[in-house]
Amino acid sequence: MTGKGRPDNVLFEGNVGKQIRCDLMDKCNLHTILRLPTGIFYAQGVKTNVLFFTQGKKEKGNTQEVWVYDMRANMPQFGKRTQLTRSHFAEFEAAFGDDSLGSPVSLAKRKDTSEQGRFRRFTRSWIADRNENLDIAWLRHKDENGTEELPEPAALAQGAMIELEAAIAELHGILAELGEEVVEL
């Protein structure tokens, strides 16, 4: 992670983040990602995910598919007025199942809810084609009338800053590998 410890960076940043993702998916079975609503643990606009994985049974290639549950899209703004409670997790718990270790038998019981639902399965090769990017989103935010809405400007700015910080960190790494001095602005 870079900068101020932004929790979502490791899912999409290049260089070190990509190495961490590849290592995790090779050595472990990353079976589920829970995309939490923004601002739950950090400032509004900062995204957080919960990763569910188990130790792999072989040296490489342990993750064959990743299930992603999106609690971010089309959810209320959580904060002091609207608290995130256990009841908000009921649908996820039902879809996830009883097996916290994600055995092949329990994963086979899961239902992919297609492009319109919150729970989807993505193959390892599909993830590899995305440059190992695990920040997977497919649902569009909609207002109370069902019209797609754009994210808040602050959320867009925060997202841009996170991506720029990741890019700067990657450039710092490249310069360090080349033995060049990094000039701070």
Side-chain angles (χ1 to χ4, degrees):
M1 287 189 228
T2 61
K4 299 175 175 79
R6 306 247 193 278
D8 215 31
N9 281 9
V10 79
L11 294 184
F12 62 80
E13 80 175 6
N15 204 9
V16 175
K18 181 178 177 181
Q19 291 170 356
I20 291 169
R21 291 188 303 274
C22 288
D23 203 35
L24 174 67
M25 289 188 286
D26 270 344
K27 294 180 179 174
C28 300
N29 178 21
L30 172 63
H31 56 83
T32 309
I33 298 174
L34 171 60
R35 293 168 47 88
L36 291 175
T38 60
I40 295 299
F41 297 110
Y42 299 93
Q44 187 60 35
V46 177
K47 299 179 275 184
T48 305
N49 296 282
V50 179
L51 306 179
F52 295 85
F53 58 93
T54 56
Q55 183 175 351
K57 298 196 183 316
K58 50 192 178 179
E59 197 169 312
K60 284 191 157 235
N62 285 287
T63 299
Q64 296 301 309
E65 62 184 29
V66 178
W67 286 83
V68 180
Y69 189 91
D70 190 342
M71 276 185 71
R72 218 172 271 167
N74 303 315
M75 294 293 281
Q77 286 279 10
F78 292 104
K80 291 180 181 178
R81 291 187 184 148
T82 306
Q83 300 266 322
L84 179 67
T85 65
R86 173 139 190 180
S87 65
H88 290 104
F89 291 92
E91 188 180 317
F92 168 71
E93 290 173 352
F96 185 88
D98 294 333
D99 180 8
S100 62
L101 299 178
S103 71
V105 172
S106 67
L107 293 177
K109 292 178 184 177
R110 291 183 175 179
K111 303 270 189 274
D112 190 324
T113 57
S114 80
E115 292 183 24
Q116 305 310 314
R118 292 194 181 278
F119 206 33
R120 292 198 55 203
R121 182 183 66 87
F122 299 91
T123 64
R124 181 72 179 84
S125 62
W126 185 88
I127 294 166
D129 289 346
R130 300 181 73 231
N131 198 27
E132 308 296 345
N133 185 330
L134 289 172
D135 187 24
I136 300 169
W138 62 95
L139 294 175
R140 300 285 179 221
H141 294 280
K142 295 183 180 178
D143 64 16
E144 56 276 353
N145 299 322
T147 305
E148 284 188 21
E149 62 181 35
L150 294 173
E152 292 293 320
L156 290 172
Q158 184 75 33
M161 287 175 58
I162 289 169
E163 290 187 34
L164 287 171
E165 286 175 357
I168 289 170
E170 192 167 334
L171 291 170
H172 280 262
I174 291 169
L175 287 173
E177 287 177 19
L178 294 172
E180 297 291 323
E181 185 178 329
V182 176
V183 177
E184 295 293 331
L185 300 176

